[in-house]
Amino acid sequence: MRHLAVGRARLLGVGPLLASVIFVAAACGDDETFSGPIEATVTHYDYAFDIDSRAAHATVTATVDTAGDCFSLPMRAPLVGGTATFDGKPATSATADGTTLTVCSDGGTDGPDVTIGVDVTIPLETLSTSQVGYSKTVDGSGNPFYYLVSWVGGCDRFGPCDNRPNVFATYTFTVTHPETMQVACSGTLATPSPTQTTCTFDHDGGPTYSTFGVAAYPTAAWVATDKGMWGSVHATVFARPQTLVADAIETAHHDGFMRYMESTFGAYPYGTELRVYAAPTYWAGFEHPGSIVLDDSLGRAANQAGRHTLDHEIVHQWAGDETTLADTYDFVWKESMAEYLTFTYEAMVDVPAADRTVAGWKSGSAGAAFFPVPGEKPALFDYYGDAYGPGPMILFRQIERMSSPEQVIAALKTLLGEPRALSVDDVIAALETSTGLDLDAYANAWIKGTGVPAWPTVVATYAAGSLHVQVTAGGDRRCKFSIALVGANPGESQLVDVNTFTGGIDQTIAVTPAFAVTTTQIDPLRECLVYPATTVKPARVNPWLSPRALGVTE
Ligand SMILES: [Zn+2]
């Protein structure tokens, strides 16, 4: 009602038209009341909590779209005291049923803003075996790691929160902790006292899944290492020295990668600072904006796994954070872009690393239990692990082979670089525009489906100048790949292009190598999720789990 009161005062001051003054006074008297549900868009979360007691106070500010007297938001955390504030005053009622908080005020409001405040207790519980939720994990040296993780649709675990994936907000976190602890969260860090840390996040693109997150670890365990400038960004790594994470992080590589990302997709979205924290985590990494968390085993991991993981999380600053998910079931595009752009840069600077990455995608895809956009809409936790292999293969690698890497990157340039929400359909549409390919049937066959996906299987036989290629299963799923004709002697190998997207599922290709062909090899370049018909379906794998999550102890 505040803005209307101001408006009336202004009109009264001018006062030329009695009728209009009477009308305004009638409509906007101080005793005017509004009733019904308030429709409002959350703009800011102010969240204060104590890491040990888990007592929290949440203040949510929203822009009112429809006036009313009751404001409801998703909330799973238990309400403390049964009371709330409404625009700073005691609310007339506050009810929480385990999924929704409803706060009502006598007279209600028509805005422009509404602010509600509640006390809650953060449940010390997580989603299954993960760290989604609030958890305390003790590392191999006895250090406690406190972690508050929303993930997609999860911010209402901690207080009233609009948990839709496609909305952005700003945030202030005020964290109370023992003097010995250090706190990590997105935004500008400050320590007003030895037992209090604040994070102020006021950038445009802050989705709840990654921005509503806080970690705390002993200061002695998060030793800061200045890693200098990566592109336009000052990077600092916080890690336990014995994990070797800070030593393993290659400044020159990540500087080059950040420059590649900034030159391709525009400036790093979160100011001038990137903080990277190593900790005992469930996932290999997590992309809190400007505040990446990495699993602390990555300092000792083989094959530059840590380097790959950090680049993956850097991509997410653009793809996932600044540009976010339209819906939960669009999850696959953000993981696919993070993987594909990491791979694209590896292909420029370290070809063996790129080969390992694409080999990992393909082997990890073979046991997938769901399509990238699963029609049965399982819980995200039940299928997200299937996104990391099939996603980058189907959305980008296979399309890159049917067009060109340049055309795929050109499509991504039209998608990233601004705060907005994207669907998988938006990504496909951009790829169609950029490549000129009609991808409707492709998307229906490869991306959207129910049940366990049957990736195509192939039998290839060579005889007397003819390579016969027959797709024996999964024939709706077409792509371009190579078959190698191989002889008995070293160096006897010739690649033959096969394109089932344009040439169908039963092809005979005339080819006469200068050697006697003794065997064929299907898709040696890993261009498509096509497998020999003799392949035994392997066990399902989740490549994003840390060794700790897989039961490997320090
Ligand atoms: Zn990711």
Side-chain angles (χ1 to χ4, degrees):
M1 284 185 281
R2 273 165 291 156
H3 72 301
L4 287 179
V6 170
R8 180 180 54 161
R10 182 163 48 78
L11 277 173
L12 286 170
V14 174
L17 292 170
L18 186 59
S20 108
V21 172
I22 290 168
F23 169 78
V24 171
C28 296
D30 287 342
D31 58 351
E32 187 185 6
T33 61
F34 302 94
S35 63
I38 295 168
E39 302 287 339
T41 306
V42 174
T43 56
H44 184 73
Y45 295 95
D46 193 319
Y47 193 75
F49 74 104
D50 182 301
I51 65 168
D52 281 309
S53 75
R54 295 179 280 117
H57 185 76
T59 308
V60 180
T61 306
T63 302
V64 174
D65 304 314
T66 303
D69 63 345
C70 290
F71 188 33
S72 295
L73 278 171
M75 183 172 95
R76 281 179 270 173
L79 177 67
V80 173
T83 61
T85 58
F86 186 104
D87 283 342
K89 300 182 191 121
T92 51
S93 71
T95 55
D97 64 5
T99 57
T100 305
L101 169 74
T102 300
V103 177
C104 298
S105 153
D106 219 2
T109 184
D110 67 345
D113 298 323
V114 61
T115 300
I116 58 168
V118 289
D119 290 321
V120 297
T121 304
I122 302 172
L124 186 63
E125 63 186 30
T126 61
L127 173 58
S128 184
T129 51
S130 78
Q131 285 170 325
V132 173
Y134 188 64
S135 60
K136 186 174 163 184
T137 304
V138 178
D139 70 24
S141 302
N143 297 297
F145 174 62
Y146 297 76
Y147 202 12
L148 184 150
V149 183
S150 289
W151 206 39
V152 180
C155 61
D156 60 320
R157 291 170 171 275
F158 314 116
C161 190
D162 182 346
N163 59 6
R164 290 173 298 169
N166 62 338
V167 294
F168 294 114
T170 56
Y171 305 78
T172 306
F173 296 100
T174 303
V175 185
T176 301
H177 52 83
E179 253 183 74
T180 53
M181 299 294 286
Q182 189 172 351
V183 167
C185 36
S186 295
T188 303
L189 278 171
T191 48
S193 84
T195 59
Q196 201 169 67
T197 300
T198 61
C199 298
T200 306
F201 181 93
D202 53 14
H203 299 285
D204 287 338
T208 58
Y209 89 87
S210 55
T211 321
F212 206 123
V214 176
Y217 205 32
T219 303
W222 266 344
V223 176
T225 304
D226 187 335
K227 288 288 184 176
M229 297 302 290
W230 297 357
S232 72
V233 184
H234 184 201
T236 309
V237 173
F238 299 83
R240 271 192 298 153
Q242 60 268 44
T243 64
L244 306 180
V245 169
D247 304 311
I249 288 177
E250 301 168 24
T251 298
H253 173 90
H254 297 294
D255 174 33
F257 187 69
M258 189 70 88
R259 288 167 189 268
Y260 166 69
M261 287 299 298
E262 291 196 299
S263 64
T264 311
F265 301 109
Y268 170 76
Y270 299 112
T272 57
E273 197 183 358
L274 173 63
R275 300 183 294 268
V276 178
Y277 298 90
T281 59
Y282 174 77
W283 283 321
F286 198 97
E287 67 265 31
H288 306 292
S291 183
I292 288 168
V293 172
L294 289 182
D295 175 53
D296 61 14
S297 74
L298 289 170
R300 299 172 191 275
N303 289 334
Q304 283 92 29
R307 190 179 78 183
H308 178 95
T309 303
L310 181 49
D311 283 349
H312 173 116
E313 305 307 344
I314 289 172
V315 176
H316 275 319
Q317 304 296 305
W318 283 261
D321 289 336
E322 184 188 35
T323 299
T324 200
L325 304 178
D327 180 80
T328 301
Y329 296 94
D330 294 312
F331 182 84
V332 68
W333 78 248
K334 85 175 175 78
E335 298 311 325
S336 303
M337 273 191 215
E339 281 297 296
Y340 180 72
L341 292 170
T342 298
F343 157 78
T344 298
Y345 189 70
E346 287 168 348
M348 290 183 227
V349 301
D350 184 352
V351 170
D355 290 344
R356 281 194 299 273
T357 293
V358 81
W361 295 343
K362 185 157 181 183
S363 66
S365 297
F370 290 99
F371 278 86
V373 179
E376 55 271 72
K377 299 206 168 193
L380 180 60
F381 191 73
D382 293 338
Y383 88 92
Y384 78 96
D386 288 341
Y388 296 86
M393 283 298 298
I394 294 167
L395 276 174
F396 304 124
R397 171 73 170 166
Q398 293 181 178
I399 291 173
E400 163 195 295
R401 305 319 286 171
M402 296 191 292
S403 57
S404 69
E406 291 73 21
Q407 283 166 297
V408 170
I409 294 295
L412 301 194
K413 279 180 153 180
T414 69
L415 296 170
L416 301 180
E418 59 182 304
R420 61 169 165 157
L422 287 182
S423 66
V424 170
D425 287 343
D426 294 331
V427 175
I428 294 292
L431 288 162
E432 284 191 315
T433 301
S434 176
T435 64
L437 297 169
D438 180 345
L439 296 173
D440 291 350
Y442 179 89
N444 285 331
W446 283 104
I447 299 171
K448 299 171 183 180
T450 54
V452 177
W455 309 130
T457 57
V458 168
V459 171
T461 49
Y462 181 82
S466 286
L467 173 65
H468 183 213
V469 181
Q470 194 172 13
V471 179
T472 54
D476 289 345
R477 290 178 264 286
R478 313 284 183 89
C479 60
K480 185 171 177 238
F481 57 99
S482 301
I483 290 179
L485 304 179
V486 181
N489 301 308
E492 291 181 340
S493 179
Q494 180 173 336
L495 291 176
V496 180
D497 278 347
V498 179
N499 191 335
T500 58
F501 192 73
T502 55
I505 60 171
D506 192 330
Q507 301 182 32
T508 301
I509 301 164
V511 54
T512 309
F515 54 86
V517 175
T518 54
T519 186
T520 60
Q521 194 183 353
I522 291 163
D523 192 29
L525 304 183
R526 292 157 180 121
E527 297 165 284
C528 174
L529 295 183
V530 61
Y531 297 87
T534 52
T535 304
V536 176
K537 195 175 175 68
R540 191 183 189 206
V541 295
N542 181 335
W544 214 245
L545 298 182
S546 68
R548 180 175 294 98
L550 295 168
V552 179
T553 52
E554 275 184 73

